[in-house]
Amino acid sequence: MGWLLAAAVALTLLAAWCATAEAALARVSRAGAKELGRGVGEVSTPLQAALADVARYLAVLLLIRIAAELSAVVLVTAVLLHWLGPGWRAFVIAAAVMTVVIYFATGTVPRSLGRRNTVRVAGTAASVLVPVIRLLGPLPRLLLLPGGAARGGPGSEEDLRGLVDLLEQRRVIQPTERAMIHSVFELGDTIVREVMVPRTDMVFVERGKTLRQALSLALRSGFSRIPVIGENEDDIIGIAYLKDIVTRIYEHHQRESVEKVESVMRPATFVPESKLIDALLREMQARQIHVAIVIDEYGGTAGLVTIEDILEEIVGEIADEYDKEQPPVEWLGEGQARVTARLPVEELEELFGVRIEAEDVETVGGLLAQRLGRVPIAGSVTTVAGLRLTAESLAGRRNRIGTVRVERVTPDGDGGGGNVRGSEPAGSGRGPGAAGDGQPGTQTGAPGRQAPH
C-alpha cells in the first residue's frame, strides 16, 4: 500500500503545481510581462505563446489539477479501506484528511507562491505546458466551449488590481501611481454624495443682487462660480460666472449698479446625490460643464460638485500657487497674533490665557464660522471670550480661510467676557451692506470649498 500513498502524494504535488501556475498565468498580461521582463531577464518564448492564448492554458491546468486531486482522494480512500476494512470510517477519514490537504496544498499556499513569483512561475509553467498543449491537440479548445474562455484572461478587475500591485513590487511603477490606478477602479463604486461640497459649505448669491454686488462677493469669497438662488437655498435658478460678470461690467460699466445678476447667469445642471461619479465625470466632459448642483431625494439642495472634486478622488488633493506653508502662530505684537485657520481651539486658549466655550468645533476657522453663522470670507470679524477674530486670507484651490488675525479686545472695546458678536466686511453677508451698494450675496455654514478661479 505504500506505493499508493506515494502516488497520492505525487498527485497532490502535481495539483499544487497546477494551482501555482494557474495563479501566476492569470496575473500576467502581455504588457505586464514585457515590462516585468526588463527587470528579471527577457520573457521566454513559451511564456509569450501562453500569453497569446492564456485561456487555453488555464483550462488545461484546471483539468490536470482536478484530475490529480480526485485521483489522490481515490488512492487515499483505497489505502484506508485496506487498513480499516469496509465501513464508513474509512470514507469519513479520507474525506476529512484530503479536504485539509487539498485546501492547503492546492488552495492557499500555492496561489500565494504563484502571485509572489509571477514571471518565474509563469515562464516555467509555459515551458512545461507548450508541449502538453500540442500533445492534446484540439482538446484544450473543446474545454473552452462550456464557458472556459470567460474564466481565462487576466481582464477582470481583480486580475488588473493584482497586476498593478505586482508592477509596484517590481518597481516598474511608483507607489503613488499604484494608488492612482486603484482610485480609478474605485470610481465605479463612489457616489456623488461622498465627494460633493455640502450645502453648509456653499456660497450663494440672490437673483436680485446687482452685478457689482455679485462681483464683490466673488472677489471676497474667491469663488469664480456661484449658485444663484430665488426664494431660498433650495431654489437654485442658475450659476453666476465671474468672467461673465466682469465682461458685462466692462462692456456696460454704467449698468453695474443697476443690472441684476440673473441677467448673466447660466443654466444650472442638477444631479442626484446617488449618481456614480465616473458616470458624472463623463457627462460633465461631454456637456462641457464644470460645476453641478447636487439634489437630495426630496429635491432639495444637498451640495455641489466640480470636476476637481472628482479628479481629486484619483490624484489626491490638488494644490496650487496659493498653497503656501504658514507658521502655526506668528506674533504681531503684544496681544496680537496671526494663526492658521487649522490651529486647534485648545491651543488658542493656551496662547491667550482665555477659556472659550465652543461645541462641535475644533479649529479656529471652525470657531469663526460657527460664531458668524455663515461661510467666512476675507474680512469677516467676530469676537469671542475677549478676542477679536478677523479672517485675513484665502488659501488654496478650495478658497478656505487660510489665516486668522487674533487680538485682545480692551475692556472698553467691543467685546470681551465671552460675549459674541459677528460681522462681515462692507458689502457682504446676509444683512444690509455697511457701504457701497449693500449686500452682494448670501453665505451659509462653515469654511467651505467651491468652484475656484
Side-chain angles (χ1 to χ4, degrees):
M1 290 292 109
W3 68 272
L4 290 179
L5 283 179
V9 172
L11 289 170
T12 302
L13 293 176
L14 175 60
W17 180 84
C18 290
T20 305
E22 186 179 359
L25 281 174
R27 272 190 91 173
V28 177
S29 69
R30 294 173 195 157
K34 292 177 181 177
E35 290 295 329
L36 292 172
R38 296 173 185 173
V40 295
E42 290 299 324
V43 177
S44 63
T45 301
L47 180 55
Q48 292 288 9
L51 293 175
D53 192 5
V54 68
R56 185 166 53 151
Y57 284 76
L58 291 177
V60 172
L61 284 172
L62 177 62
L63 176 64
I64 297 174
R65 179 169 62 85
I66 292 177
E69 290 174 353
L70 291 177
S71 300
V73 171
V74 170
L75 292 178
V76 171
T77 304
V79 171
L80 290 177
L81 286 173
H82 178 76
W83 286 349
L84 302 178
W88 59 269
R89 289 186 302 171
F91 293 99
V92 171
I93 294 175
V97 170
M98 292 308 296
T99 298
V100 175
V101 170
I102 290 175
Y103 176 79
F104 288 102
T106 67
T108 57
V109 176
R111 296 182 186 279
S112 176
L113 293 175
R115 295 188 182 100
R116 190 176 306 146
N117 305 287
T118 304
V119 176
R120 185 180 309 165
V121 174
T124 303
S127 300
V128 175
L129 288 174
V130 166
V132 174
I133 294 289
R134 293 174 181 171
L135 181 64
L136 293 177
L139 180 60
R141 291 291 181 188
L142 297 176
L143 295 175
L144 299 177
L145 291 181
R151 168 190 176 81
S156 67
E157 180 178 325
E158 181 181 356
D159 293 331
L160 292 175
R161 284 177 180 266
L163 178 60
V164 170
D165 293 339
L166 180 63
L167 291 173
E168 188 215 349
Q169 293 172 9
R170 298 286 185 175
R171 297 183 181 178
V172 177
I173 63 175
Q174 298 298 321
T176 53
E177 296 171 328
R178 169 188 169 276
M180 187 182 303
I181 296 173
H182 277 287
S183 298
V184 173
F185 285 122
E186 293 168 2
L187 282 183
D189 301 322
T190 306
I191 60 176
V192 173
R193 183 174 61 246
E194 300 178 42
V195 302
M196 70 178 184
V197 179
R199 170 175 170 161
T200 53
D201 287 359
M202 292 173 59
V203 172
F204 305 91
V205 61
E206 290 91 344
R207 67 188 304 173
K209 297 305 175 183
T210 64
L211 295 179
R212 182 174 180 178
Q213 291 173 320
L215 177 61
S216 175
L217 178 61
L219 294 178
R220 290 182 178 276
S221 65
F223 298 133
S224 60
R225 301 167 180 85
I226 303 177
V228 181
I229 61 174
E231 297 180 358
N232 52 50
E233 287 84 352
D234 289 322
D235 181 25
I236 295 181
I237 59 176
I239 305 292
Y241 283 64
L242 176 61
K243 61 182 179 181
D244 294 336
I245 298 173
V246 172
T247 300
R248 182 62 64 90
I249 292 177
Y250 178 79
E251 294 176 350
H252 306 281
H253 181 70
Q254 70 280 5
R255 303 183 61 182
E256 64 176 343
S257 300
V258 179
E259 189 172 352
K260 306 301 181 183
V261 67
E262 62 180 331
S263 65
V264 297
M265 69 181 183
R266 301 189 186 188
T269 300
F270 298 91
V271 297
E273 60 182 357
S274 58
K275 189 179 184 71
L276 295 176
I277 62 174
D278 60 341
L280 176 61
L281 178 60
R282 290 194 296 270
E283 179 181 335
M284 296 177 80
Q285 288 177 309
R287 299 177 59 182
Q288 297 182 344
I289 56 176
H290 186 280
V291 60
I293 304 299
V294 184
I295 58 175
D296 57 27
E297 57 183 317
Y298 303 105
T301 302
L304 64 78
V305 62
T306 67
I307 287 183
E308 283 88 349
D309 295 321
I310 301 176
L311 294 180
E312 285 185 348
E313 287 297 302
I314 302 175
V315 301
E317 188 72 21
I318 298 176
D320 59 18
E321 62 273 15
Y322 295 103
D323 286 335
K324 298 178 180 179
E325 192 66 27
Q326 293 282 349
V329 180
E330 179 184 358
W331 289 100
L332 306 175
E334 186 176 356
Q336 298 183 22
R338 177 179 290 113
V339 302
T340 64
R342 294 174 294 179
L343 186 76
V345 175
E346 292 81 1
E347 293 189 21
L348 180 66
E349 292 177 326
E350 295 178 2
L351 288 173
F352 287 89
V354 298
R355 174 143 183 98
I356 300 175
E357 298 293 338
E359 297 181 358
D360 302 325
V361 293
E362 298 179 356
T363 65
V364 175
L367 176 65
L368 180 61
Q370 183 192 62
R371 297 308 168 103
L372 288 171
R374 58 182 69 92
V375 177
I377 59 179
S380 300
V381 180
T382 189
T383 305
V384 54
L387 301 176
R388 180 185 291 112
L389 309 180
T390 305
E392 282 194 324
S393 63
L394 302 174
R397 187 186 66 80
R398 299 297 189 184
N399 292 321
R400 293 186 176 99
I401 291 298
T403 59
V404 178
R405 184 185 180 98
V406 183
E407 53 187 328
R408 292 187 185 276
V409 180
T410 58
D412 56 346
D414 54 349
N419 296 327
V420 178
R421 188 177 70 177
S423 65
E424 288 289 342
S428 65
R430 275 193 182 277
D437 293 319
Q439 172 193 3
T442 300
Q443 306 168 57
T444 64
R449 55 183 186 173
Q450 199 156 315
H453 291 288

